[in-house]
Amino acid sequence: MYDVTAEVRTDDGSTRVVCSVPLPVAPEVVWDAVATAEGIASWFVSCAMEPRVGGRIVQFADPGAADPTTGPEAAAEAMLTATVGEITEYSPPTAGAPGVFAYVERDWMGEGVPVPPWETSCEVVDDGEGGSVLTLRSGFGSGGELAGQSVSGSVDGWAQALTVLAHRLTHRPADGVVTVDAATDPVDETVPELWARVTSQLIAPAAGVGGHPGGDAGGGAGGNGVVARSGEVGGIVVTESEASRTLILSAPVDGMLELFAFPAGETHEDAAGRAALALRVYEYVDAPGGDGRPLGAAAVDVTPTWEAPRWRAWLEGLIGA
């Protein structure tokens, strides 16, 4: 769906995932979506950044962390598991040149751990027909087992995230986005065991609805166009991987939902046998002050229809907690 492509490339000794997606909006809109904190938060994860070369970019991807926007204590707690990078290029698109935004994360496995720097870039090119092509590259300037495993493990996540971005910019480009994160406590199951139990309750075949069951409706992530429904929550699956699904929601809100299981434990050994269930919801809302034109930086401070406790209760219902 949306012609999202994602693959691992090894060129000149480097190892990177390369993703591309055409988008039906101008380069300036795409730039605001991928190179501002409000834009990144509307399709990827909560983010804070200094939009300049040498500035910091902080991304809050831990599903169990506190919401960093709720106060100083929560922000300090969220920083414990955030990833911090340095912006190395920040060139907005012009009539004669693409936009390029790039950053490097040097301590992505924890402070002081000797790992190669993880480099990510977004290039926004005018397609000459009123739209744009976004190309994202993320990985290492070197090879090796660590680089290969880390990059391979990021392919599905990037493809799913770009599908979230493409869906809004295609169908709801003038809407704002309010996001909600929620997660359960860990249970004594492996990630595959928990995920199999959850999906057996949630997923039901739906031939001819929203996609092609068994086909590839989700670009690089392999969505299969089935209905997912449990209680008041329902939608169409558009991407999937081993332990995650991305849905276009039909209820209880308009928007998209990323549902996933993850290893949860204080040590590596503990996490191997324990897992939790989490979600991130991107709800489409009227943008305050919006004038109907496409928005890139779409994250807004609006009360969501369902706040985190209600989504957490839904997750707990899926795992029988």
Side-chain angles (χ1 to χ4, degrees), residues 43 125 227 257 280:
W43 60 275
V125 177
V227 166
L257 179 150
R280 182 168 176 83

Side-chain angles (χ1 to χ4, degrees), residues 98-182:
V100 181
F101 167 52
Y103 59 92
V104 58
E105 297 164 299
R106 297 183 175 85
D107 295 319
W108 54 274
M109 284 193 70
E111 189 173 355
V113 179
V115 291
W118 196 315
E119 302 164 348
T120 300
S121 68
C122 292
E123 181 183 59
V124 183
V125 177
D126 191 326
D127 69 0
E129 299 179 354
S132 310
V133 176
L134 170 64
T135 301
L136 182 146
R137 299 174 177 87
S138 187
F140 305 92
S142 59
E145 184 176 357
L146 176 63
Q149 291 180 349
S150 300
V151 169
S152 295
S154 71
V155 173
D156 286 342
W158 281 122
Q160 290 171 353
L162 292 184
T163 299
V164 173
L165 173 64
H167 181 70
R168 188 187 69 81
L169 289 181
T170 300
H171 294 287
R172 306 291 290 269
D175 284 333
V177 180
V178 58
T179 57
V180 182
D181 294 281

Side-chain angles (χ1 to χ4, degrees), residues 1-2 42-43 159-169 171-172 177-180 234 236-239 245-250 253-259 279-284 311:
M1 182 173 282
Y2 305 116
S42 71
W43 60 275
Q160 290 171 353
L162 292 184
T163 299
V164 173
L165 173 64
H167 181 70
R168 188 187 69 81
L169 289 181
H171 294 287
R172 306 291 290 269
V177 180
V178 58
T179 57
V180 182
I236 301 295
V237 178
V238 290
T239 73
R245 298 286 188 275
T246 304
L247 282 66
I248 298 173
L249 288 170
S250 56
V253 300
D254 291 329
M256 298 192 76
L257 179 150
E258 292 180 340
L259 178 69
L279 59 75
R280 182 168 176 83
V281 177
Y282 306 86
E283 180 181 352
Y284 302 147
W311 280 110

Side-chain angles (χ1 to χ4, degrees), residues 199-250:
T199 53
S200 68
Q201 301 178 60
L202 185 65
I203 306 300
V209 179
H212 304 284
D216 186 6
N224 57 11
V226 299
V227 166
R229 179 166 294 280
S230 178
E232 298 175 78
V233 178
I236 301 295
V237 178
V238 290
T239 73
E240 60 180 333
S241 63
E242 290 183 357
S244 69
R245 298 286 188 275
T246 304
L247 282 66
I248 298 173
L249 288 170
S250 56

